[in-house]
Amino acid sequence: MSLLLVIAFLVFMALIVLVPGKVKGTFALTGVLMLALIGSWPAVRALSGTVYDATWQGGSVFGDIDIRIDSLSAWFILLTNFTMVTGMLFGRQYLKTYNERPAALSLHYAGFLLNHFALTGVYMVHNGLAFLCIWELMTISAFLLVIFEHHSMQTLRAGISFLVQSHLSIVFISLGFIWVHAHSGSFAFDSVSRFTQGLPDGVSLLLFFVFFTGFAFKAGFIPFHTWLPYAHPAAPAHVSAVMSGVMIKAGIYGMFRMLLLIRTNYQVLGYAVLVISVLSGLYGVMLALLQHNLKKLLAYHSIENIGIIGIGMGLGAVGTGLQVPFLAFAGYSGALLHTLNHSLFKSLLFYTSGIVYRATHTMNIEKLGGLVRRMPKTSLLFLLASLAICGLPPFNGFISEFLIYSGLFTAVGMNSPSPVLIILVGTGLVLIGGLAILCFTKAFGIVFLGSSREADLSGVQEAGSATLFPLWLSALFIVSIGLFPQVFIKMLMKPVAMLSGDIAVPETGSLLATMQQISLCAGALILLVTATYLVRRLIVSKSPVRESLTWGCGYVPVSPRLQYTASSYVRSYSRLAQPVADISSGIREIHGILPPPMGTETHVRDRLESRLIDPLIRNLRGFFSRFRFLQNGSVQYYVLYGAVFIAVSIAIPLIVDGIRYLAGLLQQIH
């Protein structure tokens, strides 16, 4: 199977480069479908208990490379394949206007296929050195996807920021594998378990958090999140959907894999992950509420949902440490299910934002409004995804968050060693949910309701059926998970059993029945409201319609700009968000006898970025600027630099050998 995957990847990479521009998207879609089919078959078998195992000969450098698809890998492979397929279905339509740029399309589609192949490889490879190589392929391909609009300096900066921080991720992951290899002599994943078997808890915890830090850069945990709010707005919509939906989940997979491999004090580990996760969730949603760019708002919500996944992971680890079966099950299953759920509703939100951008050519929420009349299907899909991300029934976000809440209530009820911390985590999760509802009320209300503030909607029309098809697929799964959770939670039994270790998976029939009843009741309410609306519409459709202005008590509004803006909607909240955001306002002053229209603009900066990252970058620039004289434009100097480098490279081994020789002579003399 692994060889077939490689062959399919190479064949379609070649075809994408060779075929004309108009059909590159078709071949790219076919390639993604082939990779998805080849990877999904063993993944489905692994979820039912049949593990795929193979070994590749990696030579003297890699050794034997284990290729394995167990139930944990299978879960991530399946959700990756689905989002990659919907991403390519949408992207193929989204990029039709670039058919006259075949070189750019070749690079983009090849990068997309490479990213899909690398992500699948990340979940299959069980050798540390090979894992790092595939991780690097995933990073480079994602960088190429982000900088599709490379003529924009802002896009290039976002791409370079992503590339630099992704390599910081690789540094920490490499340190972890080097540490294990230095003591075990092997890069195999199994050597991590053997190495940590007899280690003191403090050392094994340190090893876990070395890996955790590396994977946290990719996943977007604070304070390693600063690349994410820039990369998502810079990338095309389908790339943002894939990055948020599946690529950052590679970091989550890495954390789960290390949680499975490293033997340590899971209780302490779980509490530490809980603290980091609840802070990430709160920080992400608090900053999301202040954003004016729709895609940047969605990017910060990725940080929020990564925090929710981390809360589930931490609860599962605490349950493993305390040997409480239901707590372990609720935490792990909630985290894994929310990984899938976030992939579905966040990709749907990015797809709809891409449709809005193609129609209006802006992502500035302040300039939008009234799109529901022009784009009713897109508006409905955005609303559905918004309800799901807020954790409301009968949609999928409710199911995974209900599992995590059940775990929190269990932890409080059993008088855990740290009940105050568990209560604070529960409070944090409640705040995350409440702020998410406020944020998406703002986003949907300002963008789709009311009237347009500045954007010209005269040419705006609904997207075509081919563009909307992948969106309806995602929406179908969002509703299905909400209404029939038992089907998907049963698929999680094998991965949860792996993570729980010796703890037996508890009976969950009553919990699943409760969740399904809540979802069905909420679904029935929605159907009742919809039916009432349709009946009313049918009745009034036969009556004459008379249009007139709304009576305004003697005052008639003259401009749609008098509506709520994104800033005014959260004005009261923005004062509370001062600890996490630097908010500045620019007011246009009155000049001249006939002044131009007045206005005010609000700019929001991430305080961690402005107070921590920016000073560090300024200091680094100042340090490297001292060596600017070396880049003087003279060819002779550049040739000299090369000669000096070669001379030093030759001299260092000679000097080392000389020192060793002299040391040997001194030992003989003594």
Side-chain angles (χ1 to χ4, degrees), residues 344 348 381 384 471-482 488:
L344 292 170
L348 179 53
L381 288 163
L384 186 147
L471 283 69
W472 290 117
L473 282 179
S474 298
L476 176 64
F477 274 90
I478 288 171
V479 176
S480 298
I481 295 173
F488 296 88

Side-chain angles (χ1 to χ4, degrees), residues 644-668:
V644 169
F645 175 78
I646 293 171
V648 170
S649 300
I650 296 172
I652 288 176
L654 294 175
I655 293 171
V656 171
D657 289 341
I659 293 172
R660 288 176 179 172
Y661 178 73
L662 290 175
L665 285 178
L666 290 173
Q667 287 180 355
Q668 290 178 4

Side-chain angles (χ1 to χ4, degrees), residues 278-290:
V278 75
L279 290 176
S280 293
L282 278 171
Y283 195 85
V285 72
M286 289 178 74
L287 280 168
L289 259 167
L290 301 172

Side-chain angles (χ1 to χ4, degrees), residues 116-135:
H116 188 185
F117 174 77
L119 275 167
T120 306
V122 163
Y123 303 137
M124 292 171 56
V125 170
H126 282 239
N127 177 285
L129 196 55
F131 179 89
L132 287 168
C133 293
I134 297 175
W135 191 272

Side-chain angles (χ1 to χ4, degrees), residues 410-619:
T410 300
V412 173
M414 69 181 189
N415 295 320
S416 64
S418 300
V420 175
L421 176 61
I422 297 296
I423 292 171
L424 289 175
V425 170
T427 305
L429 189 57
V430 170
L431 287 172
I432 290 170
L435 292 174
I437 292 174
L438 176 61
C439 185
F440 279 96
T441 304
K442 179 192 86 169
F444 181 79
I446 304 299
V447 172
F448 292 99
L449 303 182
S451 302
S452 175
R453 289 154 184 81
E454 292 186 13
D456 182 13
L457 302 185
S458 57
V460 172
Q461 58 185 1
E462 185 61 271
S465 300
T467 302
L468 292 174
F469 174 68
L471 283 69
W472 290 117
L473 282 179
S474 298
L476 176 64
F477 274 90
I478 288 171
V479 176
S480 298
I481 295 173
L483 294 177
F484 309 106
Q486 66 274 18
V487 175
F488 296 88
I489 292 177
K490 285 179 181 177
M491 295 169 62
L492 284 169
M493 291 304 179
K494 293 289 183 183
V496 170
M498 279 184 64
L499 293 165
S500 301
D502 299 330
I503 304 176
V505 177
E507 177 58 41
T508 58
S510 60
L511 176 67
L512 296 180
T514 301
M515 289 190 293
Q516 188 174 28
Q517 287 173 8
I518 295 172
S519 290
L520 290 175
C521 290
L525 177 62
I526 292 174
L527 289 176
L528 178 63
V529 172
T530 304
T532 304
Y533 168 75
L534 293 175
V535 170
R536 176 188 176 277
R537 185 174 180 180
L538 181 64
I539 293 172
V540 300
S541 62
K542 300 177 182 179
S543 304
V545 178
R546 186 179 63 182
E547 294 184 1
S548 61
L549 294 175
T550 303
W551 182 55
C553 302
Y555 175 77
V556 180
V558 293
S559 170
R561 293 176 63 85
L562 293 175
Q563 303 169 109
Y564 268 115
T565 64
S567 299
S568 62
Y569 192 90
V570 294
R571 179 177 175 82
S572 300
Y573 161 80
S574 62
R575 297 173 183 174
L576 302 175
Q578 292 291 341
V580 300
D582 288 326
I583 305 173
S584 59
S585 299
I587 301 176
R588 300 178 194 146
E589 297 181 359
I590 298 176
H591 295 286
I593 299 175
L594 299 173
M598 290 185 62
T600 179
E601 292 183 357
T602 304
H603 302 279
V604 180
R605 287 292 307 275
D606 184 338
R607 181 154 291 192
L608 273 178
E609 182 183 358
S610 60
R611 303 294 175 90
L612 181 65
I613 306 298
D614 287 354
L616 178 62
I617 292 175
R618 282 196 297 269
N619 291 333

